[in-house]
Amino acid sequence: MTVAPLAVLFDRDGTLIIDVPYCADPRRVCPMPAAVPALRMLRAAGVRIGVVTNQSGIGRGLITAEQAAAVNAEVVRLLGPFDTFRVCPHAPDEGCACRKPRPGMVLDAAAELGVPPARTAVIGDIGADVEAAAAAGAAAVMVPTAVTRPEEIRRAPVVRRTLVEAVEHLLGPR
């Protein structure tokens, strides 16, 4: 991205918060170490921020929509408000348009924010996040974790070690 994005969308699990598979308990929500300062930087720069998260546990019957909403509310409580919060509740085999790596949530979030996808960036920890961004015409930055596969890292257009480094990359020189 040659110009700073007008909106940055974050994956939730493994990106903004420590990944607890199929988390149904808000008490288990723990922000990633650089989440607070990264979000603070974007807010200070006037960049709109949002979350785009696959929550297949709902579609698989492992957690309820209410439990997922309670976890999301805790994310907001700990990390501050987001301009949009998109959730795909579908199981992988449902063929929905919103589940990453499909672009549905990215496109919907950008439209809600009134920002063209080309001026939107997605930050995530796995290939599906990067692929959803590319499919939507948005920029992508991968911040790998221990579960990110090496081939996903190799395919990512931009890789940074922390959320702060990812945001610094997107905002460019100040």
Side-chain angles (χ1 to χ4, degrees):
M1 181 166 276
T2 57
V3 296
L6 299 174
V8 175
L9 306 173
F10 290 87
D11 170 56
R12 190 188 83 176
D13 303 320
T15 302
L16 284 176
I17 64 172
I18 293 173
D19 188 9
V20 175
Y22 309 113
C23 185
D25 183 355
R27 295 171 298 185
R28 297 192 67 195
V29 173
C30 181
M32 293 294 275
V36 170
L39 292 167
R40 187 179 306 124
M41 291 166 60
L42 289 168
R43 290 179 180 119
V47 176
R48 311 287 302 274
I49 55 174
V51 176
V52 288
T53 180
N54 287 346
Q55 294 300 313
S56 70
I58 298 169
R60 295 171 194 245
L62 301 172
I63 64 173
T64 67
E66 294 76 20
Q67 289 169 319
V71 168
N72 291 337
E74 183 66 2
V75 170
V76 171
R77 187 185 76 75
L78 293 172
L79 298 177
F82 292 89
D83 299 303
T84 185
F85 208 114
R86 297 286 175 161
V87 176
C88 171
H90 304 107
D93 61 356
E94 289 185 57
C96 65
C98 52
R99 182 174 174 76
K100 295 178 287 180
R102 292 182 192 90
M105 282 192 290
V106 175
L107 293 171
D108 288 347
E112 180 183 345
L113 298 173
V115 175
R119 294 294 308 275
T120 302
V122 176
I123 299 176
D125 66 318
I126 62 172
D129 302 315
V130 171
E131 292 169 32
V141 180
M142 178 181 279
V143 179
T145 65
V147 301
T148 311
R149 296 191 320 256
E151 63 271 16
E152 293 175 320
I153 297 169
R154 284 192 299 275
R155 285 196 307 262
V158 177
V159 178
R160 293 296 183 266
R161 291 179 308 119
T162 69
L163 287 176
V164 168
E165 290 178 12
V167 168
E168 287 172 342
H169 167 78
L170 290 170
L171 293 179
R174 300 304 269 156

